[in-house]
Amino acid sequence: MSSEKKTNRRDFLKTGAAAGTLAAGWTAASAQRVMGANDSIRIGIIGCGGRGAHHMGWIHRASQEVPAKIVAVCDVWDQQVERAAAFVQERFGGEQARYRDHRKLLESRDIDAVLIATPDHLHCPHLMDAVRAGKDAYVEKPIAIDLDVLNQTCDVVKASGQIVQHGTQGRSSKGAAATRAFIQSGQLGKILRVEESRSHYNPYWNNYKGPESEDHTRWPAFLDNRPYRPFNSDQHGAWMGYLDFSNGTVGGWMSHFSDFLHYCTGCGFPRFATGHGGVYSPTSKEGRTCPDTITVILDYEEGFTTSYTTHFGNAANDYTLIFGTKGTMRIDMPDGNDKNGINPRVSGEGSEHPEKVKEGTILEEIKQDDHMVNWLKSMRDCKQPNADMDKGYMQGVAVILGDMACVKRRMMTFDPVNREIRPA
């Protein structure tokens, strides 16, 4: 990509004309005036832990289809920066800029977009910083653990006109489009209830260790918008197990479940939520505050409910079921390896409808780009990606609504007009 094109693209996105054009929808022709089809999209990684490392490999695979390269890495923990830089050097070659402050990375004129894989409490702050700096972004799920911050982030992203993809890749997985088409065609009948159970023997956050000492990291930057406390290595590394930084499996796993449901049914926001759970499993380490066993029930305006359950301490009983008046769909959901798709299987089980699903019915495959390729193409063509801010806002609401019901131990309701959650 020439320096002239880089400057034109950045300056164009910051003009008032750009905002109006984006609101109306960019055409492929207009996109080509900003970024050529063979120009490489230059990406910075903010958050180089487990998920960030996974995504670096995914970007490399996707770059075989859409030209892209990682040119910068950033993390508050020195060790993560060095590991990420070595990985990028091996896969992409060349020199990579290394940062410990994401704001310095965002100041670079040599970066077009960023991938944000920081802890959950930092997703919104880092995303707002990114789009305000004129960068497109891919941001991990859940987008938020606080509704006020989610509302602010949604407004900032939409006003910016930047391309933002949310990390709910299930909607772009192989088999997802066929599942959506089958459900929305009415072949499963009216959807009545959807349930998912996810389990591990050990809580997944047990697998992470933090820096040995505060000398190796920027502890205040990790805390960011959270109250200061003395350095805690376990909170730094296993933050997914602490309510200060995460809402546990509701954000980590239910976000995927809810977003996939929204995608397949075309439903609106959940209306009500109830939930309960706690730290019950003997495989949970002392001091962790995120529930290792939890159930969240969401009620939708369209006339169905969803039930999401996690238990640790026993790894049995992983499944996703969609119950309709004409039959039942069983789905094997992605396991986090984005090369795998979903495996939907339908039958007339449980139905006495005269048009119930016929035995042996196989969903017709509908091809679509995987989630990372979709993001890269969306930036190149200046169009909205598969999981844009509207979709991210919906999964954010589902996560926060369910989490608040569990924390407050009472039914909660979401008001989409005033964008607020309150007791039902």
Side-chain angles (χ1 to χ4, degrees), residues 124 143-144 146-155 158 166 168 171 259 262 269-270 387-400 414-421:
C124 281
I143 178 55
D146 177 87
L147 187 62
D148 289 338
V149 177
L150 175 59
N151 287 339
Q152 179 188 6
T153 303
C154 183
D155 293 342
K158 289 198 157 190
H166 291 255
T168 45
R171 64 170 52 231
D259 181 75
H262 299 161
F269 292 99
D388 61 18
M389 190 64 233
D390 286 334
K391 313 304 188 303
Y393 186 81
M394 283 191 69
Q395 57 97 347
V397 166
V399 164
I400 296 167
F414 174 66
D415 177 355
V417 175
N418 296 307
R419 298 196 304 179
E420 66 180 20
I421 293 174

Side-chain angles (χ1 to χ4, degrees), residues 201-209 234 237-241 281-286 288 312:
Y201 184 76
N202 289 300
Y204 54 77
W205 43 76
N206 284 2
N207 300 324
Y208 298 91
K209 293 183 178 180
D234 194 61
W239 55 265
M240 286 177 278
S281 173
T283 61
S284 283
K285 293 183 179 179
E286 184 177 355
R288 305 294 169 77
F312 293 127

Side-chain angles (χ1 to χ4, degrees), residues 264-329:
C264 288
T265 66
C267 66
F269 292 99
R271 298 184 303 173
F272 303 103
T274 57
H276 54 86
V279 182
Y280 301 145
S281 173
T283 61
S284 283
K285 293 183 179 179
E286 184 177 355
R288 305 294 169 77
T289 54
C290 284
D292 54 48
T293 304
I294 198 163
T295 296
V296 173
I297 297 174
L298 300 178
D299 181 276
Y300 284 81
E301 184 75 39
E302 288 76 10
F304 63 81
T305 64
T306 70
S307 173
Y308 170 82
T309 298
T310 286
H311 59 264
F312 293 127
N314 183 303
N317 217 30
D318 272 14
Y319 63 85
T320 303
L321 293 170
I322 303 177
F323 299 95
T325 54
K326 296 181 181 179
T328 301
M329 178 179 288

Side-chain angles (χ1 to χ4, degrees), residues 190-220:
K190 182 188 184 303
I191 303 302
L192 305 168
R193 181 167 64 90
V194 187
E195 65 178 62
E196 178 167 295
S197 174
R198 299 286 298 272
S199 58
H200 278 329
Y201 184 76
N202 289 300
Y204 54 77
W205 43 76
N206 284 2
N207 300 324
Y208 298 91
K209 293 183 178 180
E212 293 182 359
S213 74
E214 189 171 355
D215 294 338
H216 300 148
T217 188
R218 297 176 64 241
W219 175 243

Side-chain angles (χ1 to χ4, degrees), residues 153-278:
T153 303
C154 183
D155 293 342
V156 169
V157 169
K158 289 198 157 190
S160 75
Q162 299 298 141
I163 305 299
V164 173
Q165 177 86 299
H166 291 255
T168 45
Q169 71 273 3
R171 64 170 52 231
S172 300
S173 295
K174 182 180 179 181
T179 302
R180 170 188 170 100
F182 189 86
I183 290 174
Q184 294 200 7
S185 69
Q187 294 180 72
L188 202 62
K190 182 188 184 303
I191 303 302
L192 305 168
R193 181 167 64 90
V194 187
E195 65 178 62
E196 178 167 295
S197 174
R198 299 286 298 272
S199 58
H200 278 329
Y201 184 76
N202 289 300
Y204 54 77
W205 43 76
N206 284 2
N207 300 324
Y208 298 91
K209 293 183 178 180
E212 293 182 359
S213 74
E214 189 171 355
D215 294 338
H216 300 148
T217 188
R218 297 176 64 241
W219 175 243
F222 168 84
L223 292 175
D224 191 74
N225 51 21
R226 293 301 187 254
Y228 182 79
R229 77 288 309 268
F231 174 72
N232 185 310
S233 178
D234 194 61
Q235 289 186 9
H236 195 306
W239 55 265
M240 286 177 278
Y242 290 92
L243 288 172
D244 264 4
F245 314 112
S246 169
N247 43 34
T249 60
V250 176
W253 283 345
M254 196 189 85
S255 55
H256 284 298
F257 169 59
S258 295
D259 181 75
F260 186 76
L261 175 76
H262 299 161
Y263 170 74
C264 288
T265 66
C267 66
F269 292 99
R271 298 184 303 173
F272 303 103
T274 57
H276 54 86

